[in-house]
Every structure is written in structure tokens, then in C-alpha cells.
Amino acid sequence: MRRLFRLTRPSTEVSRDLASELQFHLDMRTQELIESGLPPEAARDAALRAFGDLRAVEAECRGIARQRVRERERKANMVGIVQDVRYAWRTLRKTPGFTLVVVLTLALGIGANTAIFSMVRGVLLRPLPYADGQRLVFLQQPATRAGVQNTQFSVAELADYRAQSRALAGIVEYHSMPFILLGRGEPLRVQTGVVSANFFDLLGVRPLLGRGFRPGEDAPGAEPVLVLSYGFWRDRLGGDPGVVGRHFTMNDHVHTVIGVLPPIPQYPGANDVYMPSSACPFRSSETMVRTRVMRMLTLFGRLAPGVSSEQAQVELEGISGRLHAEYADAYPAGDGFGIRVTPLQAQLTAQARPTLLLLLGTALFVLLIACANVANLSLARLVRREREMALRAALGADRARIFRQLLAEGLLLSLAAAAAGLVFAAGGLGLLTAFAARMTPRAGEIALDGPVLGFALGLGLLTGLLFALLPALPSRASVVAALKDGGGSTGAGSHRLRSVLVVAQVAVSVVLLVGAGLMLRSVLALQGVDPGFNPEQVLAAKLDLNFSKYTTNEQFQQFHQRLRERLAAQPGVALVASSRGYPLDGRRSFAFDFEIEGHPLEPGRARPQADFRVASPDYFRALGIPLVTGRLFTDRDGLQTPSVAIINQSMARRYWLGQDPVGQRITADTGKTWTTIVGVVGDVRQYGLETDPVDEMYLPFDQIPLREGALVVRGSADPATLARRVKEEVLALDPEQPLAGARPLTEVRADALAPARLTATLLGMFAGLALVITAAGLAGLMAFSVSQRTQEIGVRMALGAARSEVMAMVLRHGLRLVVIGLVAGAAGALALSRAMSGLLYGVTPTDAPTFAATAAVLVSIAALACLIPARRASTVDPMVALRST
Amino acid sequence: MAGSDLYVGTLDLLILKALSWGPMHGYAIGRWIRQTTEDVLSVQEGALYPALHRIQRKGWLEEEWGMTDSGREAKYYRLTPAGRRHLRSEIVRWRAYATAVGAALDAVTA
């Protein structure tokens, strides 16, 4: 009996087989009946009768058989996959070096991307944590010609927009001030959000405990109430569940706690407590309510259903146009007042967006380089494994099977890499969150959550696919054939592909190096910027006095004066000064309009404007701000003496170019009072090292009564001792007076550099990583090429080539790839570096030294990477090489 | 379907038993059952095939195509090791069953 094997049986064959099986039965039965004496016709009928319902039997059998075939195929597939994975595992374990290098390379790439993506998601992609957060808008009142982005809004303006806007379903106000909270032992300086009663309703925030503000609670004379932030309630009040109904004293009024917020990020800023606008002594003061130009409110709105932010913009422009016509005094034509509606989400992330996108792009480039390297390694490995593949092909494995094998290996590697990458990302997350916190209030929302995990997994799967697909590419048509004849005919195609991969790696590395180089040059430029003051040995602290306790200017000035005297008497303290703020403190100064005596305002021109600061006499010496001309303040400049001012050089240049401003007079109240300029001091970069100094005017601390204050202390004692002394002296004078954040100015200056330095560091790390991976890829390619060309090299040497010539040949080959990559990369960098121009300082995106340095670094690293294989080539023994055919 | 007067599982058992001698095609299995049971278990012959396919699906039979002595291509069935084990346990079960039922039918007291 001869047997025919049929290994596979598609389901169409099932029917054919079944038909012939049943036909066979009927034929045999008929034959049997004929042999027993029946005529053929009758025999046939009898056979059919004995069989029963032929159609039904056939249908039933076909159903069963098809099911069986399907089950068998499924099982075979399962077994195949398990086999593939098991085989892949064994293969990878046999080459631990390769496996480790691949997993680490990919893990770094995936880790970097996951970490950066978690930032991008937390800050840019995630919707605001408020009900329908995308309908919230931020309102700005720019005065473009006066150079002000947002003058903010006055109480009167809020009322007008509220009354007239239909496009916004609601408008809320916000400002934040420090107050002093009494009622639990030590006095606390609490940052207080002052908001309208509908604030939490409009944002869609429901309190965790108690309730939010009710309509009318922001009406003048309403009972003062407080809503606590979650953090304040938990950290300062121990999470007291019975806190609702408790009383605290603020600004001499008893405030009742009515609710606690849930633990959500707070926008636009983090506050300890919230109070309705009526409870804020400034916001509810007579002048603030009545004066249209007293602008201190930040406004948010919620778009009415079906209204876009663009439509709201159009409507508000109409309203503001009417207001400008009606109250011409409040909107000088020369200032160019306007109105702007921006989605809140865009507003909160505007500063962080360019940096985050740059980092994401960079991280993706690093991953690309890592993938190229891995593909390169696996190509080399594939060529080395040709014999194994040929054997498997000979044993009946088809192309799909071999591909599946590669895929299993790729996925195994890349999933391991994704897991390791997640560990890296988790490790770096704290650092990155702190980094993002300098640019956006949304930093607290950065987390390794589901979508981020999905992202990492997706990257892993993608790289795994790439790993399997790329090596299969050049030899796709010929893989089995080529492998079957056991030769190296796949070598040529894959070698070309590997060269292309290395060139691409070099090119991408160039782009990353240029980016990092530009950022580094920016940081160096920033570090070299003269901030206009000397931060060494200076301690600065904010000192906000209790508004209700220090009611008169005299009390306030006396406190500061006594504090200065007591501190100055301490050992190691040289100079003490009072002021409203200090450089780089992040506090926006007030700007005010003024007129110069003898220079009447031309109609239609913007009124002269300058930031104003207050300073006690020693302020300039303490901070090392140089006096250019005139005099500094003295203790005699007080409330009883004529009003005087010191201006900075920018202001002197703008209005008195080539003249002496000392002795000139200006007025801020259209001539009711006049202030005499007594001196000019150097410019100070108040708002950031990269921000040019603005026009500034200093007024004597004793002439401008402001409760928001700061203390600047220069001394040889170490900062911690200084800080302790300041705190002790403050408490000695007033045990209810808290002192916030005493810090060395050197630290403040370092902080101002931090975002640029961190960006540069991250870009540098990425570029370094890219360089190392690329160098490894290049070295690998060259080593492989040398090993493949051993015979050719042997022939050359046998024909008289010197070792140095062989070395030069290998080096030339490697460097040719590098130069091609370099040129392509430089072109790419020229095109891409413009995208980061907003992040650069003191350097153009096409900075020639950066490009030159990049080329030099790359070529030297590449030469180094080629050197080892080149040396090996030069030590080839011609005899051995020729014999090993 | 045909075979309704067979006790449940009887046909399967007979098929397995038939194949215990060696590979057979369906027709031969049917003929063996007819001859050995002397046509007592009169079955519609067609009922054999769904039973064969069902048993094959359970993994007790393997098919293989071969030539008959007369030179025709036919589908042969062969017991798998699992089928052989199943046959052994089924025989034991059937005997116990038949004995029990027989004893009950032979009982003389109620």
C-alpha cells in the first residue's frame, strides 16, 4: 500500500475528499451487491437505499471536518508561536553581549522618549482637570504701543465686560496676595487667592469638604469666608475633618472656613487659601472699586455653549471699543489698548511648549539612531547566521517562518528594552517634573500613567517590528535562495543598507550635536551676562507686613528702620536695606506713566512709562549697583522732604540722551506733585538674565508706603547664619510677623539660569548618547567590513601593500561615510535649528563656531571608532587570509 | 438520523474496535460491523461517516489516503494511541454496563 502524505489541507479540499470518500463507499457497496447477483441498476439503487440520506450525511461530515481543520490550524499556530519565542529566547541567550547591547541601546532610546512624552502629555496634551476645561478662556488687556502684554483689568472694567458679554457664559476675577493668618499658634504667611464668588463654579471645581462660595459672598460687607486648598488643609491643619466652621483671623477680621478644595492642580497659581473679593482690603477699597485705571485683576471666562474663542474675541473687541470711546481718559490712544481671548490651556503652557517639543523631537531622534544601530547589529548578525538560516530553510522553514523567527527575537528584545526604558523614565521623572515646574504651573500633572505606559509599549512594539523588517529588506526576494546556497550573496545588499544606516546616524547626530551646542552657547552667554548687581554675599527675603497691624506709614517705616538698625549691629552684617523686591525675584513691578517737566505730551504718542521700585539708602551699595552720576538716597529723604528719584541708565538714555538728568523733574499725577531726579544708577536685569533691562525709577523707601516689602542684607557671615539672624530679629520685633524664603542672591541668580542650563544639559545628554551609539554603529560596521574583506586585504598585502596603506584604506572608507553624513546633517541642522531660535540667547541658529565644533567632534570620534578595525585590518596575515577561502 | 435504535456510543465503540486490527477505509469498517454483528444492529450505512468524522475530530483517529488492493485511492482511518487507550476503557465500561443491565433484567424479585 502506497501512502501519499498531505500535510496541509485547506478547507476546499475537505469537500473534495469527502465526496470521493462517500463515492468510494457507494461504488464498493454496489460492486458487492452485483457480485451477490443483483443487476447493476438495482444494485446501485439498493446501495443508495442502504446508505440513507446522502446529502444530509455529506453536509454533517463536511461541518465536522471543517471544524477539525480549523482547530488543527489554530493549534499549529499556537505551537509555532510558543516555539518561535522559545527559540528566540535560546538564540538571544547564546549571544549575551549582542542582547545586552541591543536592549540597553533601545532602553535608553525608549526611556528618554517615555520620560519626555510623560512631560508633553502632562503639560500639553492632557485636558485641564476641570469640568469642560477646554471651554475656559484667559482674558488679557494688552497695551501694545506701551509695550505691555497685559495691563490686567480694573473692577470697573470687569463689571462692564460682565454686563455686556453674551459670548462668555461667565467671567471670574482672580488675584493673589500674601496675607497673615492668625488663629493657630505661630502666625502664618498664607498666599491667598482673591476671587469672585462664582470662581469655583465657573471652573467646575466641587469642594472636597463643605461648600464653595455662594453668590453674594463677594458683595461689599459680606461675612468673610475662606476656602482652603487641599495641601494647606492637609499639611498645616493636619487634615482636620472638622475644619469647616473654624475661625481664623486675617486682616483683623474673623474669617470662617466654609470648604476645602479637592487635591487638584490650582490655576493660575497655587494658593494656600481663597477668599471672596470683598474680604480683600485692597480689592474692596473705595479707590480700587471706583478708579477705572487701577488694574489688578486677572480675568477668566467660560465660553457660552456653541461659541468659539474667536467669536468671543470679536465680541469683546466690540465692547472694548465702546469702552475706549466712552472713557477716553482711561485708555490713552497712544498706549494702544486692546483685548485678547486665549484658551486657558494654551495660556498655561505657552512658555513650556517650545522647550518640550524640542526635547520630544530630540528624544525621537535619539530613538531613531538607536533603532538604526540595532538594525545594523541585527543585519550583521543575520549575515553571520546565514548558515543557520540556510539549514532551517533546507529543513522546510519557509520565508514567513524565518521572518516570524526574526520578529519573535525583535519583539523579545524590544519589550525587554521597553521595560528597562520605563525604569529609566521613572527614575528621571522627578527631575523632569522639577524642570517643567519652572516653565508651567501644570508640572504637577506629569505622571507615568496609562497612556504613557501605552506609549512606551507602542515604541517597544514599533522598534521590534523595525528590528525584524529592516534586515529582511535587502534580501527579501532572495533570502531563501541566497541562504540556500550558503554563500554570502546577501552580504552586498545588506552592506549597502548598513552603510546608509550609518550615514543616517551620523546625520542625525550632527543635528543633535548642533542643537546641544547652540543651547550650550546660550547658557554660556547667559552666564556671562552682567546682571547689573553683585549677588555674592547677599541674602534677600520677602517681608510682607500685616496690613491691619501696621496701619500708618510711620508704623511701617519704623518697623523697617528698627529692623535695619538691629540687623546692622549683628556681627558679620555689613549693609541692610529695605525695598519692595529684589532682582530676579519673579515679582512683576508696577509700571507707571509720567510726564517730564517742559516736555508736554504729544497727542497720539504713548505716554512715557517706567517700572518703579522703592529702595532704602543702602540698597544700591548692598547689591553693588553702581552710581553713574548724582547721588544715592540718604536717611534724610523721607515723607517730610521733597520727593526725589533715582533713575537707571536705560531711562536716562531714552529721555536725556547727552544731557544730565540730575535736577530734572517729572510728575506722575499730571503736575500735582513733582519729583526731582537726583541720581542715575546702572541697569539691572530684574526679570531674567535673558531679558533686557527696562526703564526704571527708584523712589526712597520712606517716601512710598508699601506693605509688600523685602529685605536685602550684605554680610560676610554664611547665608544660613544670616538667614537665622534675620528671622530672629524679625520675631524679636514682632512675634506675629512671618518671614518668607530668605535666600542667598547667588542661588536666585543660579535659579534664573536653571531652565536654560537644564535644557542644555538634557540636549547635551541626548547628543552625547547619540554620538556614542553612532560611534558604536560605525565601529561595528567597519569591523564587520574588515572581517568580510579579510581575503581581499590579504591579497593586497601579498601584492605588496604596506600595513599603513591598508589602515588608511579602512579609515578612508569609514570617514567617507562620516563626511556624507556630516554634510547631510549640517543641511538638516540648518533647516531645523531655526525652530529653536526662541530658546537661544546671544547666538544665532546658524552659529558657525557651533557647526565647526560639531564637525570636529564628530570626525575625531568617528576616526577613533574606525581606528580599531583599521588596526585589525593592518595586522591581517596574508598567508592565513589567503588560505582561509 | 439513522442509527436511532443503537444504544448511545455503541457505533463509536464498534468503529474503534474495527480499527483495532489495523487501518481501514469506511466501507470496510461498515462491512465488518455488518458481518460481525450479523446485521443485528441494522444501521443506515450513511450514519457511519458522521460518526467517523466526529471521532477523528476528537483525536482518536487519523486519516491517511492510500491505494486499495484494486488500485483505487481511498481514505483510510487509523487508531491513534489516544484512540487505542479510549477503546480499552470503553470496552471495560461497556462490559460493566451490559453486566449491570443484564443482572437487572435477570432479577427475579421486585
Side-chain angles (χ1 to χ4, degrees), chain A residues 135 159-171 302-308 311-312 315-316 319 322:
Chain A
R135 312 273 314 150
D160 290 332
Y161 284 112
R162 252 194 199 150
Q164 297 182 35
S165 173
R166 295 286 161 272
L168 297 180
I171 301 178
R302 182 178 279 284
L303 295 170
V307 176
S308 72
Q311 287 167 318
E315 188 207 53
L316 292 199
I319 298 174
R322 288 199 292 279

Side-chain angles (χ1 to χ4, degrees), chain A residues 1-6 9 16-18 20-30 32 47 49-53 56-57 60-62 64-65 67-68 71, chain B residues 1-2 23 25-27 30-31 34-35 43-54 56-57 63-68 70 72-78:
Chain A
M1 202 156 75
R2 208 153 49 87
R3 281 165 188 173
L4 305 169
F5 289 99
R6 295 191 196 173
R9 189 174 305 279
R16 219 173 35 232
D17 285 356
L18 185 63
S20 76
E21 180 179 24
L22 299 181
Q23 191 57 52
F24 175 76
H25 177 99
L26 290 173
D27 290 351
M28 292 300 282
R29 193 71 166 113
T30 309
E32 189 189 335
R49 250 195 326 278
F51 192 86
D53 187 343
V57 166
E60 196 181 354
C61 289
R62 191 163 44 230
I64 297 167
Q67 236 169 332
R68 177 174 54 84
E71 281 166 6
Chain B
M1 219 27 252
H25 45 69
Y27 173 73
R31 194 177 51 196
R34 262 189 290 131
Q35 287 168 357
V43 187
Q44 284 270 290
E45 287 172 21
L48 184 64
Y49 288 90
L52 273 170
H53 282 268
R54 237 189 318 271
Q56 187 185 4
R57 195 183 144 206
E63 68 177 59
E64 73 197 29
W65 285 75
M67 295 292 178
T68 61
S70 56
R72 253 191 95 163
E73 198 184 18
K75 183 178 172 186
Y76 282 78
Y77 292 92
R78 182 170 49 165

Side-chain angles (χ1 to χ4, degrees), chain A residues 183-214:
Chain A
R184 54 169 306 280
E186 172 186 10
L188 283 179
R189 178 186 190 273
V190 287
Q191 195 64 36
T192 309
V194 181
V195 299
S196 39
N198 59 339
F199 185 76
F200 294 118
D201 288 342
L202 185 120
L203 292 184
V205 176
R206 278 167 190 280
L208 184 73
L209 290 180
R211 60 173 178 89
F213 300 125
R214 286 200 183 122

